[in-house]
Amino acid sequence: MGIGMVFQNFMHIDDMSILENIILGNVPTNMGLVDYEKARRDCQKYIDAFGLKCSLDEKISGLSVGERQKIEIIKTLYLGARILILDEPTAVLTPQESQELFKNIADLKRDGKSVVFISHKLREVMEVADRITVMKKGEVTGVFEKEDASEIKLARAMIGKQDVELLQNLSDDASNEVVLSLDKLWTVDSEGIPRLRDLSFDLYRGEILGIGGVEGNGQKELQELIIGLYPPSAGKIYLDGNDISQMSISERRSLGISLIPEDRMTMGLSINSNIQDNLLASRDQSPEFNKHGFLDFKNIKEMANNAIKEFDIRGANLSENVGKLSGGNLQKVILARELANQPKVIIASQPTRGLDIGAINTVRTVLLDMRKKSASILLISADLEELMSLSDRVLILFGGKIAGEVTRDQIRSKQVTESDIGLLMGGAHADFNKN
C-alpha cells in the first residue's frame, strides 16, 4: 500500500550484499531466476541519487552507520514506499550525517513522498518538520505548524509542565583522585578484529566522564570489559589501584561497580519477571535478603515498595511483569537496583535513549545526585547534547581508539561546538588546544 518503515535498529542481513539487502522482499526474476541485471539497474539509480560511492556488490556490514541508514531508506523506496516512517533516525548519526539525512528528507518531499519523522530531539523536529504532533501516554497533546512551534512549547506539551529545561552539570568539584584506570586495553572479537585498541584513560572521583562516538566504535565493548563480561585481550583495568582485569562480574559489583546498560529490555531487565525479582537481581545473596540460604520475602517486598516510592515508578505492581511498564519507568527500575548500594563507579550507557523530557530529567537528577555523593560516572552516549551538558570531560571514540578529548571549559566557552565533536566522531583530526 506504499507505506515504508525505517527502523531505529536497521533490518539488514550483514552477510548479504547491498544489492541483496535492497531487493529482499521484492526480488525481480527472469525464467525463475533472480534477475540481477534488472535489480542492479533499478538500485543504482537510488545509489546515485543518495550520493553513495559504494558498490552494490559490497557486503552491507562494511558500511558506516550513516551509509547503512541510507540503504534502509533506499530499500523502502525500491519496495514502492510513498509514505516513509523514520523511527529515531538520528540516534546513531554524527551531526554531519544528520544534516545529510535532513537533505535526503527534503529531496524526498520534493519528489512527492510523505515522511513521518519520530524523534525526542526537539531541535531536529523543529528543523525537519512542516507540522509537529506531540504525543504523551498515547494521546495527542499538541499540534503545531512549524512557524508557530518552539522548543519550549513542544517540551511543555510532551511533559505537561512549565519547567521543561533539561538539567545540566553546573558543579566544578571533581577531585584529582583516580578511581578507575584503563591501561593499554585491547579486545579482539571472535573474527580477530580489534574492537578496542590500546585504550588508556583515568576516571576521577566525583567526575562524569563522557564517552562519545558513532555507535560501533568500541563503546559496547568498553562497558562489557569494565563490568567483567569477559577479560581484555591485553591491558589492565584498575579500581582504586587494584587490578580487577580477571575478576568476575559479581566480584566487581561487590567492589562498587554498577552498570546501567544500553538495552534495558534485554540486558537491563528480565521483562517476564516482576519488579521484586528485577530489583533483587545480583543482590539475592545479600544478608539483608537471604537468611541461611532462604530468601526473606518480607524484606524483599519492603525493599521493592521503598524503591517504587523513592524512584516514583509509576504503574508498578509487585506481582505483574515489569514488561508492562513504560520505557521511563523501566529505566527507573534499573536505576533503583544499580544505585541501591551507593556504587563507586557507575557505567551509564545510553541512559536516556527513547525517553521523554520528564524521564530524561529524572535520570539526569539521579546521576547528578550520585556525582555529588562522590560517585564516578562513565557516561556513554550517542547524544551530544547530553554529553556536553553533563560531562566534566568528553572522550570521543573512533575505531576503538580515543580520537580526541574535550573539557567542559572548552564547551562553555564555545571553543568546541557540536560540529567540532562530530568531526572527531567521523574520524577527522581536530586540535582544540591550539590556542
Side-chain angles (χ1 to χ4, degrees):
M1 295 177 67
I3 300 174
M5 179 80 174
V6 177
F7 295 89
Q8 183 175 347
N9 297 311
F10 302 146
M11 309 294 283
H12 293 154
I13 299 178
D14 285 350
D15 287 335
M16 283 188 172
S17 68
I18 294 171
L19 178 66
E20 289 167 331
N21 270 281
I22 293 173
I23 67 175
L24 195 61
N26 186 23
V27 179
T29 59
N30 185 8
M31 303 294 289
L33 300 174
V34 177
D35 190 343
Y36 280 106
E37 185 177 340
K38 183 179 187 308
R40 199 178 307 278
R41 282 198 309 271
D42 294 341
C43 293
Q44 190 62 48
K45 296 174 185 176
Y46 291 111
I47 294 291
D48 295 339
F50 276 76
L52 288 166
K53 305 299 182 185
C54 51
S55 165
L56 286 166
D57 296 318
E58 285 182 45
K59 276 191 177 182
I60 202 160
S61 58
L63 300 185
S64 69
V65 175
E67 289 171 330
R68 289 180 69 144
Q69 186 178 69
K70 288 182 179 180
I71 296 298
E72 192 83 336
I73 295 173
I74 287 172
K75 179 176 180 176
T76 63
L77 295 173
Y78 173 82
L79 294 174
R82 294 176 289 107
I83 300 171
L84 280 82
I85 305 170
L86 309 182
D87 181 19
E88 297 284 357
T90 64
V92 295
L93 301 184
T94 67
Q96 287 80 358
E97 288 173 327
S98 296
Q99 288 302 316
E100 285 186 26
L101 173 64
F102 298 158
K103 290 177 183 176
N104 294 147
I105 291 173
D107 291 340
L108 291 170
K109 285 167 51 183
R110 279 192 291 271
D111 289 341
K113 302 293 189 295
S114 302
V115 178
V116 179
F117 184 94
I118 302 170
S119 177
H120 285 95
K121 298 180 180 179
L122 301 184
R123 273 180 284 178
E124 292 183 353
V125 172
M126 291 285 297
E127 181 173 352
V128 78
D130 299 299
R131 184 163 47 92
I132 303 162
T133 298
V134 180
M135 296 182 67
K136 178 186 177 186
K137 296 181 179 178
E139 296 183 351
V140 173
T141 56
V143 178
F144 304 88
E145 298 297 329
K146 183 170 187 174
E147 56 270 19
D148 297 326
S150 69
E151 290 187 26
I152 294 295
K153 288 181 181 178
L154 297 179
R156 285 174 179 166
M158 287 173 70
I159 66 173
K161 295 180 180 178
Q162 297 300 306
D163 182 14
V164 294
E165 290 189 11
L166 288 172
L167 296 177
Q168 298 193 18
N169 177 7
L170 301 177
S171 179
D172 290 309
D173 54 2
S175 75
N176 293 320
E177 180 185 352
V178 175
V179 175
L180 183 73
S181 183
L182 275 60
D183 183 29
K184 299 180 178 179
L185 211 61
W186 286 78
T187 186
V188 179
D189 66 17
S190 58
E191 297 180 356
I193 299 173
R195 296 300 180 183
L196 291 178
R197 305 166 183 262
D198 202 32
L199 190 68
S200 298
F201 64 78
D202 294 328
L203 174 64
Y204 300 100
R205 189 171 305 283
E207 178 189 38
I208 298 179
L209 177 59
I211 303 292
V214 175
E215 290 189 32
N217 280 276
Q219 298 95 319
K220 180 174 179 286
E221 290 78 11
L222 176 61
Q223 62 176 303
E224 291 175 347
L225 278 175
I226 295 174
I227 199 62
L229 279 178
Y230 44 81
S233 302
K236 301 288 185 181
I237 303 172
Y238 297 95
L239 180 66
D240 289 330
N242 299 311
D243 186 357
I244 63 168
S245 308
Q246 304 300 320
M247 287 187 180
S248 67
I249 295 174
S250 59
E251 288 173 323
R252 298 185 197 205
R253 292 181 69 89
S254 69
L255 291 174
I257 299 180
S258 70
L259 171 66
I260 303 168
E262 61 180 324
D263 190 344
R264 53 182 168 265
M265 301 294 286
T266 58
M267 190 174 181
L269 296 165
S270 172
I271 294 300
N272 294 320
S273 300
N274 62 36
I275 191 169
Q276 289 186 163
D277 290 344
N278 275 283
L279 290 170
L280 184 65
S282 78
R283 294 193 285 165
D284 55 293
Q285 298 301 315
S286 168
E288 182 182 0
F289 307 120
N290 193 313
K291 308 295 185 185
H292 310 294
F294 294 92
L295 292 177
D296 187 333
F297 289 103
K298 181 181 178 181
N299 278 358
I300 293 170
K301 183 177 181 180
E302 183 180 357
M303 172 271 293
N305 281 321
N306 289 338
I308 291 170
K309 183 177 179 180
E310 180 182 354
F311 285 85
D312 190 23
I313 304 172
R314 300 178 185 179
N317 185 312
L318 295 185
S319 61
E320 290 185 349
N321 295 346
V322 296
K324 295 182 179 180
L325 299 178
S326 67
N329 286 295
L330 289 174
Q331 196 72 330
K332 290 177 185 178
V333 176
I334 295 174
L335 290 171
R337 182 188 66 225
E338 294 302 310
L339 306 183
N341 294 325
Q342 299 295 313
K344 294 179 182 178
V345 174
I346 302 165
I347 308 165
S349 183
Q350 316 295 348
T352 63
R353 172 174 287 168
L355 305 184
D356 64 28
I357 291 179
I360 289 172
N361 270 344
T362 297
V363 174
R364 290 191 178 191
T365 297
V366 170
L367 293 179
L368 291 173
D369 284 348
M370 293 303 297
R371 182 189 184 278
K372 288 178 183 176
K373 296 175 182 177
S374 297
S376 304
I377 300 169
L378 196 67
L379 175 62
I380 303 173
S381 178
D383 186 334
L384 284 186
E385 188 281 328
E386 183 166 74
L387 289 174
M388 296 172 77
S389 294
L390 294 184
S391 304
D392 297 292
R393 289 183 296 144
V394 178
L395 302 178
I396 303 299
L397 292 186
F398 180 78
K401 300 177 69 173
I402 295 175
E405 177 178 337
V406 179
T407 66
R408 192 140 55 95
D409 287 341
Q410 290 173 318
I411 294 171
R412 284 174 173 173
S413 64
K414 309 291 187 184
Q415 184 181 347
V416 176
T417 65
E418 284 193 12
S419 295
D420 294 326
I421 297 177
L423 289 173
L424 291 175
M425 291 170 67
H429 174 74
D431 183 5
F432 299 135
N433 299 307
K434 56 189 175 186
N435 295 323

